[in-house]
Amino acid sequence: LTVPLYRVGVTTNRYLVQWKNAYVVDYQKNTSVALMLHGSWHDADNDFGRSFYDVVQKNGYAQLMYESDLTDAHNLAAGLSLNHDLYDEASSLYLNPQELDRETSSGGYLQYTYKLKKKLTAMLGGRWDYSSRYGGFFTPRVHLRYSPTDKLTLRTSAGKGRRTPHALAEHSQMMASGRTFYFAERLKQEEAWNVGVSAHLLLPVHKRDLEVNAEYYYTDFQNVLVVNVDGARGAHTVSFENLDGSSYSHTVQVDVTYPFAGRWEVMVAGRFNDVRTTYDGELRIQPFSPRMKGLLTLSYKTNLDIWRFDVTGQLNGKGKRYDQTDYPTYFQLQAQVSREFRYFTLYAGGENLTAYRMDEPILH
């Protein structure tokens, strides 16, 4: 008996056409009307052993936009859009083809912006959409930017977002695991509120500016596609579910950049993540989302930026596997050399030069 080799094949063909045109109605008030048309054909064939997932997505998008400065301080923008997606799927796994058959969304937005010289910018906007699958919904947003001096900029934003999930298209790599797949009878649209604040500061140090960025973002999910691996359905399973409980993420990041010794530049960054999702009625840390990350980059540019050398060290903190056991903190090193020419750029480099490998990447 001849056993065929296990084969993994991923083939993607994508064709894209787009057209943009704008007409300036009033140059003094920056009043303009623009039309954007976009069409694409995306064909993806995925084979993992005897399992396969093939999908063709046909997309058409049109957007009509209007923008005008009412005064020097007040700006108004509005627009209408239409988006149509058509899917043709085939898979060896169970999947209701009607779930991802087609979706047409139409809607409009209105955005008002207030500018007080160069110190304050406030933007308030909202849009209403109607989806053939999910009905009508409203998504508001607000942005504030304040610069009390040339050296300090403060920003804050808040808003709501929605997204249509596509379980297998976004997680087809899991088909290589040999697990049994389960799908919710109907996947809901993902929905989340998000809020964030950030600060950008320039500090003069030895006749050069030390650049400091600090930011915090919080996202609260009303619904999200939950990928439940080895859950209540048993070991060696993957279940695509709607959120039943809470899910959120806290992200804090600080990075510092400083140019020194002529053409050298160093950047140091640190990030803290707290990402949690409810699995089988229990709020847990999301798998493979490290709590801490650190980054150190050293760059050098020659005269006229013809040559560029970059070395990056990345420290990844420990996190959780699917079975909630910990994987350890690990370090990776990357390097790249770039050469600029008149019409193109050549570069060579390597990733994971420390050759780090997880001791037991596959759990039996």
Side-chain angles (χ1 to χ4, degrees), residues 4-8 47-50 175-178:
L5 295 176
Y6 186 90
R7 177 183 177 274
V8 175
D47 297 289
F48 303 92
R50 296 181 179 178
M175 295 176 64
S177 64

Side-chain angles (χ1 to χ4, degrees), residues 27-44:
Y27 283 95
Q28 292 183 343
K29 293 186 177 181
N30 292 320
T31 303
S32 62
V33 178
L35 177 64
M36 295 176 55
L37 301 176
H38 177 281
S40 66
W41 177 298
H42 189 92
D43 185 358

Side-chain angles (χ1 to χ4, degrees), residues 125 139-143 157-161 192-196 218 220 222:
T139 50
R141 62 173 178 169
V142 59
H143 296 270
S157 62
K160 193 175 187 180
W193 285 95
N194 56 80
V195 61
Y218 170 70
D220 181 27
Q222 273 68 62

Side-chain angles (χ1 to χ4, degrees), residues 69 72-75 112-118 120-122:
D69 291 335
D72 291 340
H74 305 276
N75 175 273
Y112 165 74
T113 304
Y114 172 74
K115 296 181 181 180
L116 180 61
K117 298 181 179 180
K118 294 183 179 181
L120 176 66
T121 301

Side-chain angles (χ1 to χ4, degrees), residues 76-80 107-113 123-129 137-143 158-160:
L76 186 67
L80 299 172
Y109 72 90
L110 185 65
Q111 177 179 293
Y112 165 74
T113 304
M123 190 279 289
L124 178 65
R127 65 173 295 131
W128 186 88
D129 291 274
F137 51 87
F138 177 69
T139 50
R141 62 173 178 169
V142 59
H143 296 270
K160 193 175 187 180

Side-chain angles (χ1 to χ4, degrees), residues 83-289:
N83 185 81
H84 177 71
D85 284 306
L86 180 64
Y87 301 91
D88 183 11
E89 293 184 301
S91 175
S92 58
L93 304 177
Y94 165 76
L95 181 67
N96 183 353
Q98 298 302 317
E99 272 296 294
L100 298 173
D101 186 19
R102 66 183 63 207
E103 181 183 10
T104 302
S105 299
S106 58
Y109 72 90
L110 185 65
Q111 177 179 293
Y112 165 74
T113 304
Y114 172 74
K115 296 181 181 180
L116 180 61
K117 298 181 179 180
K118 294 183 179 181
K119 287 191 174 182
L120 176 66
T121 301
M123 190 279 289
L124 178 65
R127 65 173 295 131
W128 186 88
D129 291 274
Y130 181 83
S131 166
S132 59
R133 292 180 59 197
Y134 302 104
F137 51 87
F138 177 69
T139 50
R141 62 173 178 169
V142 59
H143 296 270
L144 295 175
R145 178 184 178 273
Y146 178 58
S147 298
T149 69
D150 293 337
K151 301 292 185 180
L152 177 63
T153 301
L154 304 174
R155 292 183 176 89
T156 183
S157 62
K160 193 175 187 180
R162 286 177 176 259
R163 193 183 77 93
T164 298
H166 301 276
L168 273 186
E170 298 165 14
H171 302 278
S172 59
Q173 72 279 1
M174 287 192 169
M175 295 176 64
S177 64
R179 299 174 183 270
T180 302
F181 283 67
Y182 297 91
F183 300 87
E185 184 175 348
R186 180 174 176 80
L187 292 174
K188 300 178 182 179
Q189 194 174 40
E190 294 186 329
E191 179 182 359
W193 285 95
N194 56 80
V195 61
V197 293
S198 66
H200 177 262
L201 178 64
L202 296 176
L203 297 174
V205 178
H206 295 294
K207 299 181 180 181
R208 294 184 176 91
D209 283 335
L210 177 73
E211 183 178 354
V212 181
N213 291 289
E215 60 185 41
Y216 164 74
Y217 288 96
Y218 170 70
T219 302
D220 181 27
F221 293 95
Q222 273 68 62
N223 185 62
V224 69
L225 173 63
V226 177
V227 184
N228 195 353
V229 179
D230 295 342
R233 293 183 180 272
H236 309 296
T237 62
V238 178
S239 180
F240 295 106
E241 309 166 352
N242 295 306
L243 178 66
D244 185 11
S246 62
S247 178
Y248 61 83
S249 71
H250 295 274
T251 301
V252 179
Q253 178 172 311
V254 178
D255 61 79
V256 179
T257 304
Y258 183 69
F260 68 98
R263 299 185 174 278
W264 291 88
E265 184 177 88
V266 63
M267 193 271 283
V268 181
R271 176 187 292 179
F272 169 79
N273 294 314
D274 182 15
V275 185
R276 298 175 186 262
T277 303
T278 301
Y279 298 91
D280 301 321
E282 180 182 354
L283 185 63
R284 306 174 188 168
I285 296 176
Q286 188 165 298
F288 298 100
S289 296

